Amino acid sequence: MAFGNEEAAKQCLTHISYFRLKYYWTDMRDGVTEHAFKEGASFEDVIARYNFDRSLRLILFDAIEIIEVALRAKIINHLSQAKGSGLWYLDAFR
């Protein structure tokens, strides 16, 4: 694997760690030995993949949170109307 800037790579590895990054270069490894990298593999490409995945994860978590809050509100409203009380969740303790 080529390293354009070894100091930047060391910095990335101290903040992200080898064990998290290794999944982003699995397809860059030689299929025969699995220890060597294919020609053209670069650490910068690995970091670009990691950053893309991180951005996508943040977008998805934001969307999931909106769906979760809306679904929870629907459930609470439905159960409150069905039970005729906003304290329906206490029924199990009575």
Side-chain angles (χ1 to χ4, degrees):
M1 179 183 298
F3 291 88
N5 182 344
E6 287 190 31
E7 282 304 314
K10 288 178 186 177
Q11 191 74 7
C12 285
L13 287 167
T14 60
H15 288 93
I16 302 171
S17 95
Y18 165 86
F19 296 102
R20 186 168 183 95
L21 286 178
K22 72 179 184 176
Y23 299 106
Y24 295 95
W25 67 59
T26 55
D27 66 320
M28 296 179 179
R29 296 168 80 185
D30 181 5
V32 177
T33 64
E34 292 191 18
H35 296 291
F37 287 92
K38 295 177 184 175
E39 188 71 32
S42 73
F43 190 74
E44 287 74 20
D45 288 340
V46 172
I47 295 302
R49 289 176 178 188
Y50 172 80
N51 287 331
F52 173 79
D53 186 53
R54 183 174 177 270
S55 297
L56 181 60
R57 190 175 340 118
L58 291 173
I59 291 167
L60 289 174
F61 282 152
D62 188 46
I64 289 169
E65 190 246 350
I66 292 168
I67 294 167
E68 180 223 343
V69 170
L71 182 61
R72 194 173 349 140
K74 292 276 187 191
I75 291 170
I76 290 168
N77 290 337
H78 178 76
L79 290 172
S80 294
Q81 288 175 355
K83 294 288 189 172
S85 169
L87 302 175
W88 53 266
Y89 58 92
L90 296 175
D91 289 347
F93 300 108
R94 291 183 188 165

